[in-house]
Amino acid sequence: MRVLVIEEKTVIEKIESMRNEIVGFLQDLVKMPSEVPPGRYKEISKFIESKMLEVGIKTLRKKNNVIGEIGSETGPNLIFCAHLDTDAPFNGWTIDPYGGEIIDNKIYGRGACDDKSCIAAEIFAVKALLDSGFDFNGKLIITAVINEEIGGLLGADYIVNKGIVKGDACLLGDSISEYPVAYRAGTFQINFTIKGIRRHAQGWPDLPPPNRNKYSGINAIHKMLPIMNFLMDLQEELKSKETKYPLSPDMPSKISSINLTLMEGGVSVNSVPDKCVLHCLINTIPEQNIGELKSRILDFIEGLKQKDPDLDIRVQIPITIEPEITDINSDFAKIVKNVYKTVYNEEREFKIILPTTDATFFHQKGIETILIGTIRGDNNIHSTDEFIYIEDLINVTKIYALTALNYLK
Ligand SMILES: [Zn+2]
C-alpha cells in the first residue's frame, strides 16, 4: 500500500466525516427538478450557488451556469465541471424521481447519478480541502453547467468559448465510476430526407414499369430501404475493427456503431407516403477515420441517385465530434492515476467511453481533460429508478479533492 502523505490522509478523513452532509446535499439536489426540456434551472442554480458561498467559494452565475472560484492568481488553473440538468423522468418509476430516497446505501432519483452526484463531489471536495487548511497554489474553478443533455449549448460550450472559464486541466464528471477516462470515441449524426409523391396507395401504388403510369405515387419509405440496408451492411463491416483502448467495465462495445435512431414518414395507411426522414447516430472508435466513413455513405447515395432519377434526397450531417485522446503521461494524468491508487488501493488504468460529453468543449480549447464519475451499468441513468451508490459518491469526492490537492499544492 502506498504511504499517504499527511495532507491526503487528513483530507480523506474530512470527507469521511462529512458523509451525511454530502448525502444530504445530493438528496436536496435531486428534490429540485432540472430536466431538459423544459430546462427550468433557476431554483437549483441558486441553491448550488448558495452552497458554494456557504463553503467559502467565490461565485458567479451566468445563464444559470454556476461558476465558483478559489485560490490565487498565480499558478496553474484546474477546472471541475459537472452538469446540473437531467434527462426527463418518464412513466414506470417505482420510486419518486424527486424523492432522493435512500434504500440499501443507494440514493434514488433522476439525476442522482447523472450528474448531480458530481456537483456534490466538487463542492465537498473543496470544503474538505479548506477545512484541512489547504493553501491553493493556483486556482480551482468549480462549475455546475446547464444543457449537457441537449448538447451543451449555453452550458459548457458557452462558459468555455466565451472565455468565462479558462484553465490548464479539467476533471469532468458524467463518467464511469472506479476508473479514470482519458479516451473518448467520436460521433456524427447523419440525416436523410426523401421526398416522394402522395397518391392513393391501392389505385396508384409505387411499382416498377409496366405497372405504373404518370399518376403513380413515389413511395418515400420504400426509397429509404436501400439506404437502411447499406448502413446495416456497413455495420457488419465495422465489426472487424475493434478499438485497442481499454473499455469501461460496463460498456460492451469495442466497435463503431451505426444506430438508426429516429424515423418519420407517411400520413395514412392507404396513401403512398410523400416523405420519409431517417436520423442516424454513428459512434466511432478512435481508430476509425470519420471522414472516410462519411465519404463511403455519401458515395453510396450518389450511386443511388445515378441509378434512380426519381430519388429526391437531401443528406445532412449536423454534428461531428472527432475522437479525443488525452495524454496519460502528463503530470496531471499521473496525479490522477496516483489518486486512484490511493482511493482504491490498487492501480486503475485509463479507460475509453463511447458517449460524448461536455469534455469536448474543454478538449477543443486545449485543456487537458480527464473524466471521473459515478456511473455503473446498473445505475439506470436515462431510465427508470436511477440511483447512485453512496460509496461511489464518497469515492469520487475523494478523487476530486486529492487531485486538486496534488495539482495545486
Ligand atoms: Zn450526464
Side-chain angles (χ1 to χ4, degrees):
M1 187 181 164
R2 205 163 77 91
V3 180
L4 299 185
V5 295
I6 184 72
E7 295 89 343
E8 283 192 332
K9 212 173 152 215
T10 313
V11 172
I12 287 175
E13 282 166 7
K14 284 274 178 235
I15 292 170
E16 283 297 339
S17 74
M18 295 187 308
R19 233 168 219 275
N20 291 343
E21 226 185 312
I22 301 171
V23 167
F25 180 62
L26 178 53
Q27 287 177 297
D28 289 342
L29 291 178
V30 169
K31 287 172 190 166
M32 289 173 199
S34 57
E35 63 257 23
V36 63
R40 293 196 190 94
Y41 303 130
K42 197 168 258 172
E43 185 195 11
I44 192 167
S45 163
K46 283 189 165 168
F47 179 70
I48 292 167
E49 181 180 41
S50 68
K51 191 70 190 177
M52 285 191 190
L53 289 169
E54 187 192 308
V55 166
I57 302 167
K58 208 168 80 185
T59 64
L60 176 74
R61 259 180 1 107
K62 289 266 184 190
K63 300 191 189 292
N64 289 319
N65 296 289
V66 191
I67 301 129
E69 213 183 275
I70 194 133
S72 59
E73 288 303 321
T74 54
N77 286 2
L78 174 64
I79 303 164
F80 287 168
C81 182
H83 67 87
L84 62 81
D85 59 307
T86 71
D87 191 36
F90 48 88
N91 289 343
W93 281 66
T94 63
I95 296 165
D96 180 1
Y98 304 118
E101 219 177 305
I102 297 176
I103 305 165
D104 295 337
N105 291 316
K106 297 176 251 180
I107 306 170
Y108 280 83
R110 175 54 85 224
C113 183
D114 177 13
D115 186 32
K116 292 178 175 178
S117 55
C118 291
I119 295 177
E122 295 181 329
I123 297 176
F124 280 89
V126 176
K127 184 164 165 38
L129 289 169
L130 290 173
D131 288 1
S132 307
F134 179 62
D135 195 12
F136 290 83
N137 167 38
K139 209 188 286 174
L140 179 60
I141 299 135
I142 309 104
T143 64
V145 298
I146 66 167
N147 286 359
E148 191 277 341
E149 299 290 1
I150 53 166
L153 207 70
L154 300 181
D157 182 359
Y158 171 77
I159 63 165
V160 173
N161 287 314
K162 285 276 179 222
I164 298 166
V165 164
K166 292 187 189 118
D168 303 294
C170 173
L171 277 194
L172 195 109
D174 217 14
S175 182
I176 55 162
S177 73
E178 293 203 328
Y179 292 88
V181 166
Y183 320 111
R184 277 92 64 190
T187 196
F188 67 100
Q189 291 177 20
I190 184 162
N191 310 327
F192 308 89
T193 304
I194 294 179
K195 284 197 180 139
I197 293 175
R198 189 168 159 182
R199 292 281 189 262
H200 192 288
Q202 291 159 319
W204 294 274
D206 185 0
L207 290 172
N211 295 296
R212 67 178 302 123
N213 62 18
K214 62 179 180 176
Y215 306 114
S216 297
I218 293 179
N219 189 317
I221 294 177
H222 291 184
K223 292 215 181 284
M224 196 61 85
L225 283 173
I227 299 169
M228 294 168 82
N229 287 331
F230 170 77
L231 292 171
M232 291 297 94
D233 289 346
L234 195 54
Q235 175 70 80
E236 276 304 299
E237 216 180 285
L238 295 176
K239 263 162 90 174
S240 59
K241 202 190 273 179
E242 293 189 349
T243 185
K244 66 176 195 301
Y245 294 98
L247 283 188
S248 306
D250 293 334
M251 285 181 191
S253 170
K254 290 193 189 74
I255 59 171
S256 300
S257 65
I258 297 182
N259 307 276
L260 312 182
T261 46
L262 184 65
M263 214 173 159
E264 305 153 55
V267 278
S268 74
V269 73
N270 58 2
S271 299
V272 174
D274 59 358
K275 193 176 176 188
C276 182
V277 185
L278 173 66
H279 297 258
C280 186
L281 180 74
I282 302 187
N283 227 50
T284 55
I285 57 173
E287 293 87 345
Q288 175 64 51
N289 182 312
I290 291 186
E292 252 169 47
L293 204 52
K294 282 182 187 170
S295 300
R296 284 284 304 277
I297 298 170
L298 295 175
D299 289 350
F300 175 77
I301 300 294
E302 270 319 303
L304 275 186
K305 281 198 216 159
Q306 305 287 323
K307 275 186 274 172
D308 180 0
D310 286 339
L311 180 64
D312 178 352
I313 184 166
R314 190 163 53 110
V315 183
Q316 287 171 299
I317 304 180
I319 289 174
T320 302
I321 297 170
E322 292 289 339
E324 296 160 10
I325 307 296
T326 299
D327 176 14
I328 61 166
N329 294 309
S330 72
D331 291 344
F332 176 55
K334 282 180 188 156
I335 286 171
V336 170
K337 199 146 197 300
N338 281 332
V339 165
Y340 269 79
K341 200 170 169 190
T342 305
V343 171
Y344 292 104
N345 213 6
E346 62 177 35
E347 292 282 349
R348 292 290 163 100
E349 66 176 348
F350 286 98
K351 301 284 192 187
I352 182 169
I353 54 165
L354 304 177
T356 46
T357 65
D358 277 342
T360 300
F361 305 112
F362 296 93
H363 184 87
Q364 283 171 351
K365 280 277 170 201
I367 300 169
E368 242 185 304
T369 303
I370 291 174
L371 282 77
I372 291 172
T374 57
I375 299 170
R376 293 169 187 267
D378 62 352
N379 286 141
N380 300 331
I381 67 162
H382 290 222
S383 182
T384 54
D385 296 343
E386 177 179 347
F387 71 85
I388 180 179
Y389 292 99
I390 290 176
E391 219 40 55
D392 285 339
L393 171 65
I394 301 304
N395 282 337
V396 85
T397 309
K398 290 177 186 171
I399 294 165
Y400 276 56
L402 297 188
T403 302
L405 176 82
N406 287 291
Y407 191 72
L408 300 174
K409 72 181 170 196

